[in-house]
């Protein structure tokens, strides 16, 4: 039985709490936040240090505001407690690197919650293109401004998910990147951005993201081919409708569309189950590491 504590019981923290209850061999040992804002069966603490010292959990899920990630992670590391940290790993690259050094020196298991890696459509897309040569990848994530996001801009809040996805889907490192951004409605941070990438093998990628669009849009498109002599294939993934289309036999006048099979699943449940497996076996699987998150933060801050 794994004794897991959760620190931070906002919207995402409550999602973790409700999902963990459905995983076998997990005991929610304790919860911690500055105030108790719900009806929870697990012991509730308002002091992180008291909770860690009294409960001594095997692992902690850190779902605090981003600027508190470093402090929380270092307190856990002092006590040799493994950790799952919601994305982004930290507010700054320097903080994330310090966290990574401490975790590595302590030989602790850690991961960062890049949940889109576990999105059923993303998993289906990766399966469809696994034997293909990827030529380009484009991601769009837009929607109205979420008032609860105040401490970070769109690059840190959203683009870190998608620069991570570009690396995860293509299995290629980013060679060069350029970031273009503007601040239109957010009081202190950017809310409109385009990121352009060159990956290994001359693969081209881009991310368009903003909090200005009055409706939600989340899509991934990938152009690829099986080999140098074959025609282009084009995949369109809609992360909202949970659909994936393959377009083939493309010419100037027509093409053929195939609806790809999506195996439905709960992304957060799959991610947390992967974390429990990681604690048991040491196999990280599709979980993002602190180093993965550092790369996304470096891209977001390189502007």
């Amino acid at each position: 039985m794994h004794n897991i504590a959760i620190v931070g019981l906002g919207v995402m923290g409550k999602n973790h709490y409700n999902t963990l209850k459905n995983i076998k061999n997990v005991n929610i040992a304790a919860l911690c936040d500055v105030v108790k804002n719900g009806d929870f069966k697990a012991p509730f603490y308002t002091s992180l240090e008291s909770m860690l010292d009294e409960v001594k959990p095997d692992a902690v899920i850190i779902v605090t505001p981003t600027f508190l990630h470093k402090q929380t992670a270092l307190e856990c590391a002092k006590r040799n407690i493994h950790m799952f940290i919601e994305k982004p790993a930290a507010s700054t690259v320097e903080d994330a690197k310090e966290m990574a050094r401490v975790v590595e020196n302590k030989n602790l298991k850690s991961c960062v919650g890049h949940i889109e890696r576990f999105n059923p459509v993303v998993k289906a897309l990766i399966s469809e293109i696994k034997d293909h040569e990827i030529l380009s990848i484009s991601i769009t994530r837009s929607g109205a401004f979420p008032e609860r996001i105040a401490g970070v801009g769109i690059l840190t809040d959203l683009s870190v998910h998608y620069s991570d996805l570009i690396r995860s889907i293509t299995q290629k490192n980013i060679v060069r990147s350029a970031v273009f951004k503007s601040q239109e409605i957010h009081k202190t941070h950017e809310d409109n951005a385009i990121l352009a990438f060159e990956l290994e093998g001359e693969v081209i990628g881009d991310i368009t993201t903003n909090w200005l669009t009055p409706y939600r849009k989340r899509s991934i498109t990938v152009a690829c081919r099986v080999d140098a002599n074959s025609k282009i294939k084009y995949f369109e993934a809609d992360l909202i409708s949970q659909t994936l289309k393959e377009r083939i036999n493309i010419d100037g006048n027509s093409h053929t569309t195939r609806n790809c099979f999506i195996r439905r699943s709960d992304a957060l449940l799959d991610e947390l189950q992967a974390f429990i497996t990681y604690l048991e076996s040491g196999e990280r699987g599709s979980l993002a590491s602190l180093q993965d998150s550092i790369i996304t933060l470096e891209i977001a801050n390189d502007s």
Side-chain angles (χ1 to χ4, degrees):
M1 183 68 69
H2 300 280
N3 291 313
I4 311 294
I6 302 174
V7 182
L9 273 298
V11 173
M12 196 62 190
K14 289 177 180 175
N15 288 341
H16 278 273
Y17 173 72
N18 291 323
T19 303
L20 271 180
K21 291 190 293 187
N22 296 318
I23 298 179
K24 293 180 180 180
N25 299 323
V26 168
N27 172 48
I28 302 177
L31 305 171
C32 181
D33 206 330
V34 291
V35 294
K36 188 174 183 179
N37 57 351
D39 184 19
F40 307 106
K41 292 183 179 179
F44 196 97
Y45 290 78
T46 55
S47 166
L48 172 65
E49 292 82 359
S50 296
M51 184 195 76
L52 296 177
D53 291 336
E54 293 178 21
V55 177
K56 297 180 173 58
D58 302 316
V60 167
I61 297 177
I62 299 172
V63 207
T64 60
T66 304
F67 72 92
L68 293 174
H69 284 188
K70 174 187 169 183
Q71 174 189 344
T72 308
L74 295 184
E75 290 294 335
C76 292
K78 282 182 189 178
R79 298 161 175 81
N80 297 312
I81 297 171
H82 307 299
M83 62 196 83
F84 177 115
I85 308 161
E86 261 303 340
K87 67 84 190 169
S91 296
T92 68
V93 174
E94 293 72 22
D95 283 353
K97 286 183 175 179
E98 182 179 347
M99 292 159 61
R101 284 193 298 270
V102 171
V103 165
E104 183 177 355
N105 289 339
K106 288 274 194 172
N107 197 29
L108 296 172
K109 295 183 177 71
S110 69
C111 68
V112 179
H114 284 276
I115 193 173
E116 294 294 5
R117 289 187 176 206
F118 293 85
N119 189 305
V121 179
V122 171
K123 292 192 289 186
L125 174 61
I126 291 173
S127 177
E128 290 283 348
I129 66 175
K130 65 179 184 296
D131 297 321
H132 293 28
E133 176 192 3
I134 297 174
L135 306 176
S136 66
I137 179 170
S138 180
I139 298 178
T140 299
R141 168 67 186 258
S142 59
F145 175 61
E147 296 294 338
R148 66 183 178 83
I149 303 296
V152 297
I154 201 165
L155 287 170
T156 300
D157 185 60
L158 293 182
S159 73
V160 291
H161 262 316
Y162 299 103
S163 55
D164 176 74
L165 264 190
I166 282 180
R167 295 177 61 247
S168 180
I169 291 171
T170 64
Q171 291 296 294
K172 293 180 181 294
N173 291 318
I174 294 170
V175 177
R176 288 191 298 163
S177 65
V179 179
F180 306 92
K181 64 180 182 178
S182 66
Q183 179 184 338
E184 306 298 339
I185 58 175
H186 198 292
K187 293 181 180 179
T188 55
H189 294 85
E190 79 288 339
D191 47 38
N192 184 33
I194 296 175
L195 300 86
F197 305 98
E198 178 188 353
L199 294 91
E200 295 169 322
E202 298 184 340
V203 175
I204 300 301
D206 69 84
I207 300 170
T208 298
T209 184
N210 71 68
W211 281 326
L212 310 177
T213 307
Y215 56 87
R216 295 170 65 229
K217 183 175 182 180
R218 297 169 64 195
S219 65
I220 305 172
T221 58
V222 180
C224 56
R225 57 190 171 198
V226 177
D227 55 58
N229 298 318
S230 61
K231 290 185 177 181
I232 302 296
K233 287 187 174 184
Y234 192 74
F235 289 88
E236 297 176 344
D238 188 318
L239 277 63
I240 296 177
S241 65
Q242 294 283 283
T243 57
L244 176 62
K245 298 181 183 296
E246 177 195 46
R247 304 196 186 273
I248 55 178
N249 301 323
I250 301 170
D251 60 34
N253 299 309
S254 65
H255 64 270
T256 302
T257 299
R258 176 176 71 91
N259 292 317
C260 303
F261 174 70
I262 308 295
R263 187 179 299 278
R264 304 298 178 185
S265 64
D266 183 322
L268 183 57
L269 178 62
D270 290 347
E271 186 178 39
L272 289 175
Q273 183 62 70
F275 179 59
I276 300 304
T277 301
Y278 176 38
L279 294 177
E280 294 172 345
S281 68
E283 295 295 325
R284 184 182 296 278
S286 297
L287 291 168
S289 67
L290 274 165
Q291 291 300 329
D292 289 326
S293 195
I294 287 169
I295 290 171
T296 67
L297 282 170
E298 287 175 333
I299 292 169
N301 285 276
D302 187 21
S303 55

